[in-house]
Amino acid sequence: MPHTGRRFTAAIFDMDGLLLDSERPIRDAWLRQSAAAGTPLSEADYLQTVGINRRDSLRVLSDMLGSHAIAEAMYEAVDREVEAQFQGQGFALRPGALGLLQALQARRVPCAVASSTRHAEVLRRLSLAGLLGFFGPIHGGDQVARGKPHPDLFELAARSLGCLPEQTLVFEDSSFGARGALTAGAGVVLVPDLKSPDPEIAPRCLVLSSLENALPLSEAWFMA
């Protein structure tokens, strides 16, 4: 683990809620859209979907909302609301994200993205945020058969980086993602956003309150 002297050759980052402050506006849109449709979701309901891909989220939301068709239509309504709200400006960066990426780039640490969001949307969001140039491989949740909390996405990202999963340090904000990374054999830095870490996951990770706290530790994590 990163807090016990383990060192790594590459970094893998989640995106939403970790690099980008996107979870809150998306959550708020879900709560508004579901209420307007007469099938209101609670925040606790919505949090069950944080960290998993669209396919798995649809399964969860279909049970809550009554049908797959209703959940799919609401997904589209949420996408429209969020796009209208930001008008192509993109989401704000989370504190410490840019500084950490700049430091890793300066040290030539290979970095990848492993996000549950669909690949095309990952590329769009990172481009709008000005972050594409910090990453080599960029992967989305629609590129693997099993999404988080399974290890598939992290194994794919490690292969794309040309290393083994256990040689990578994964930065995540959700316990679903952390679980998948740990199953793959990676080290995990967990920076919770909307959800507190699961009690069985937190002791296996280095839990930080912000990526700002990761920056002074990063030099010790990666092999020169």
Side-chain angles (χ1 to χ4, degrees):
M1 297 305 301
H3 52 296
T4 59
R6 183 174 167 189
R7 302 193 74 188
F8 305 90
T9 60
I12 298 174
F13 286 83
D14 180 44
M15 180 182 68
D16 293 301
L18 179 83
L19 298 175
L20 304 183
D21 194 8
S22 48
E23 294 286 13
R24 284 169 180 78
I26 293 172
R27 173 203 61 192
D28 293 346
W30 271 101
L31 299 184
R32 281 191 295 268
Q33 290 293 332
S34 63
T39 53
L41 296 172
S42 68
E43 183 170 357
D45 291 333
Y46 175 74
L47 289 180
Q48 294 182 48
T49 71
V50 171
I52 59 177
N53 64 27
R54 187 177 184 123
R55 181 179 61 246
D56 294 335
S57 293
L58 276 170
R59 282 197 284 266
V60 173
L61 291 164
S62 295
D63 290 340
M64 294 178 183
L65 298 171
S67 77
H68 180 89
I70 293 173
E72 184 64 61
M74 199 165 294
Y75 242 117
E76 294 171 1
V78 167
D79 288 345
R80 289 193 297 270
E81 178 180 331
V82 173
E83 180 61 26
Q85 178 183 353
F86 286 89
Q87 298 181 348
Q89 296 301 305
F91 298 108
L93 299 182
R94 295 285 292 163
L98 183 59
L100 178 59
L101 291 174
Q102 288 173 332
L104 296 180
Q105 186 177 68
R107 296 193 63 219
R108 301 183 184 275
V109 177
C111 294
V113 171
S115 169
S116 290
T117 299
R118 291 174 295 177
H119 181 244
E121 183 64 11
V122 175
L123 293 173
R124 190 183 79 88
R125 292 181 189 180
L126 290 175
S127 178
L128 287 172
L131 297 183
L132 275 179
F134 290 103
F135 301 104
I138 295 173
H139 292 295
D142 55 338
Q143 293 181 301
V144 290
R146 302 182 303 170
K148 303 173 186 179
H150 297 286
D152 305 34
L153 195 55
F154 300 105
E155 292 169 347
L156 173 62
R159 286 197 303 273
S160 298
L161 286 164
C163 59
L164 298 172
E166 53 264 36
Q167 296 174 302
T168 67
L169 180 59
V170 171
F171 294 83
E172 266 285 351
D173 71 294
S174 78
S175 293
F176 285 130
R179 189 186 305 275
L182 290 167
T183 302
V188 178
V189 175
L190 184 57
V191 186
D193 183 23
L194 292 183
K195 294 176 67 176
S196 298
D198 293 345
E200 73 275 16
I201 291 295
R204 303 171 62 195
C205 308
L206 176 60
V207 181
L208 300 177
S209 61
S210 169
L211 284 177
E212 292 176 314
N213 303 123
L215 181 57
L217 302 173
S218 61
E219 189 167 345
W221 288 337
F222 296 98
M223 300 176 185

